[in-house]
Amino acid sequence: MKLKEIAERLDCTLDGEGEIEITGVNSLERAGAGELSFLSNRKYTPLLQTTRAGAVLLPKDFGQVGLPALRCPEPYLAFAKALEFFYKPPRPAAGVHPTAVIAPSARVGPNASIGPYAVVEEDVEIGSNAVLHSHVVIYRGAKIGNDFYAHSHAVVREFCRIGNRVTLQNGVIIGADGFGFAKQSDGSQYKIVQSGIAILEDDVEVQAQSCVDRATV
């Protein structure tokens, strides 16, 4: 992709040669001749003297540098967007793996991808374009919106509610029991039923091995 095209797509001001071919992005220390880098923290300014990057994203008010530059208000944000020009996470094809288990009463929207050993229990509702990787488990009665993406070993517990465009990274548990015990007269602890539910609204991403517990009520 030519540097001038990247400038247009990121709404940056271009300083220097726009015909340079950019093949990827990288840090100032590691970038090569065909890669785009960025500077947002000025304490790293000395790296501009030694970088081999083909071009760099800079703040609008930064001085002249000895390589082509794309100037913008937020170089770090622009760099994050530029990453998407060169890397697209693979998306599995639609379909249900033969080892997946989907309850007869579950309703799964169109264009879903259900991976090996995934389980969708009774009365679950999942919207369109869902991706459930291997060993994902959706407990009974959960309700999930469109564009749900669950990585391997994610779990959504019974009756939880999840909105649209939610991503669960590996090992996330939504709706596990919270910590609730009542002390009895003999000193032992009586477990309190966690009858509440966990709710995630639209456009949420939960990072790996995290847990969003359900409450008592």
Side-chain angles (χ1 to χ4, degrees):
M1 181 181 296
K2 293 192 182 301
L3 185 61
K4 65 180 183 181
E5 181 182 351
I6 296 174
E8 291 172 1
R9 292 177 66 174
L10 295 178
D11 195 23
C12 294
T13 301
L14 172 62
D15 280 355
E17 176 56 58
E19 295 297 322
I20 295 173
E21 192 69 28
I22 299 296
T23 58
V25 296
N26 215 325
S27 65
L28 284 169
E29 301 96 322
R30 298 179 179 178
E35 293 182 308
L36 174 68
S37 192
F38 75 101
L39 178 75
S40 60
N41 188 331
R42 294 180 188 242
K43 74 178 184 180
Y44 297 113
T45 297
L47 293 175
L48 291 172
Q49 305 303 316
T50 57
T51 186
R52 299 174 61 191
V56 63
L57 287 153
L58 294 174
K60 282 189 172 182
D61 61 349
F62 199 87
Q64 293 299 310
V65 294
L67 69 165
L70 302 183
R71 298 181 181 276
C72 56
E74 298 290 343
Y76 188 58
L77 176 60
F79 182 78
K81 293 179 179 180
L83 279 167
E84 298 175 6
F85 301 158
F86 302 99
Y87 177 73
K88 297 291 184 184
R91 181 183 175 89
V96 178
H97 193 274
T99 62
V101 178
I102 301 179
S105 62
R107 289 182 287 176
V108 180
N111 199 37
S113 174
I114 313 295
Y117 302 103
V119 176
V120 180
E121 293 187 353
E122 297 287 348
D123 302 318
V124 166
E125 295 179 13
I126 302 177
S128 60
N129 307 313
V131 174
L132 277 61
H133 280 280
S134 58
H135 299 281
V136 169
V137 180
I138 312 297
Y139 278 39
R140 176 187 295 268
K143 301 291 188 289
I144 299 172
N146 299 323
D147 302 304
F148 177 63
Y149 202 109
H151 290 273
S152 296
H153 299 283
V155 176
V156 178
R157 287 279 300 270
E158 63 276 12
F159 309 117
C160 289
R161 301 288 183 267
I162 292 180
N164 300 311
R165 300 174 300 279
V166 169
T167 297
L168 305 182
Q169 296 290 344
N170 300 82
V172 168
I173 302 174
I174 305 299
D177 282 2
F179 187 84
F181 295 87
K183 191 172 184 179
Q184 302 187 98
S185 58
D186 63 359
S188 63
Q189 300 291 333
Y190 186 87
K191 180 176 171 61
I192 301 172
V193 172
Q194 306 293 287
S195 61
I197 62 171
I199 300 173
L200 299 184
E201 298 185 351
D202 295 347
D203 301 300
V204 172
E205 180 167 341
V206 184
Q207 295 304 302
Q209 307 299 332
S210 300
C211 184
V212 180
D213 289 343
R214 66 201 307 122
T216 301
V217 291

